[in-house]
Amino acid sequence: MQEFDALSREQAEQALRPCLDVPRWIKDITEGRPYGSVDRILQAADHAGAQLTPNEVEQALLHHPRIGERARGGHTEARLSREEQAELGITTDIQTQLDQGNAEYEERFDQVFLIRAAGRSSDEILAELRRRMNNTPEQESQEVADQLSQIATLRLKGLFS
């Protein structure tokens, strides 16, 4: 934490970008330094994440692969996404259901289905996908923002562990 607090603004922004590539979120976290503890920076991340706007959510979704698909590339965000989905244990049957569910979701909401995969099973993710198909666009927008915030906080926590 002390090392992060001592980074230049540009270095801190670079360190935070893979957690959530939303300039306002990155700025809020960077400008809140020094934190002195992981708990304090995680609280700041939760607070900043709770204020995600629809435009920020849309921007952030551009960097997230479909659930069940491997993120491509060697950049940090792609690596983190692959790690988060690695423990899902996706069988051929589950992959087929995810592919179908992703297509239906994208048709309904015109965006990629986003969920915090870390700590969830593939069955839980499928159940959430099906449940969220019943959301109104407004409800789903709020759920996506919440999932993005959870992902960002988990990734940030990972930076300090």
Side-chain angles (χ1 to χ4, degrees):
M1 190 75 257
Q2 291 174 341
E3 290 176 30
F4 178 78
D5 283 342
L7 293 174
S8 71
R9 182 180 53 81
E10 293 82 15
Q11 291 171 320
E13 289 174 352
Q14 277 301 111
L16 292 170
R17 189 160 283 110
C19 298
L20 181 61
D21 195 3
V22 171
R24 193 255 328 142
W25 184 88
I26 292 169
K27 181 177 179 254
D28 287 357
I29 305 302
T30 302
E31 289 182 354
R33 294 178 305 154
Y35 290 101
S37 75
V38 174
D39 286 341
R40 287 188 58 209
I41 194 172
L42 294 178
Q43 288 172 350
D46 285 341
H47 179 73
Q51 300 175 39
L52 289 172
T53 67
N55 286 340
E56 290 173 332
V57 169
E58 183 178 335
Q59 175 187 357
L61 285 177
L62 297 174
H63 303 284
H64 284 273
R66 288 177 184 92
I67 195 76
E69 290 183 2
R70 288 182 54 84
R72 297 178 191 180
H75 51 87
T76 303
E77 195 166 14
R79 181 183 53 76
L80 290 170
S81 180
R82 286 190 297 269
E83 289 172 5
E84 291 159 0
Q85 291 195 43
E87 296 181 22
L88 291 179
I90 297 177
T91 63
T92 303
D93 180 53
I94 295 285
Q95 186 65 57
T96 300
Q97 292 179 61
L98 282 173
D99 291 345
Q100 180 182 356
N102 281 331
E104 291 170 4
Y105 180 93
E106 289 172 21
E107 176 70 25
R108 174 151 167 64
F109 294 110
D110 197 31
Q111 65 188 24
V112 68
F113 173 68
L114 182 93
I115 189 166
R116 175 189 45 79
R120 288 192 163 114
S121 70
S122 55
D123 289 332
E124 286 176 274
I125 289 172
L126 275 172
E128 278 296 291
L129 175 57
R130 291 179 184 123
R131 180 191 64 77
R132 286 171 52 185
M133 286 295 290
N134 295 314
N135 281 348
T136 65
E138 295 78 21
Q139 290 169 321
E140 186 56 19
S141 178
Q142 185 56 49
E143 286 216 40
V144 171
D146 180 58
Q147 293 299 306
L148 277 169
S149 182
Q150 288 182 38
I151 292 166
T153 299
L154 282 172
R155 288 179 176 182
L156 184 60
K157 189 175 184 179
L159 287 177
F160 300 108
S161 61

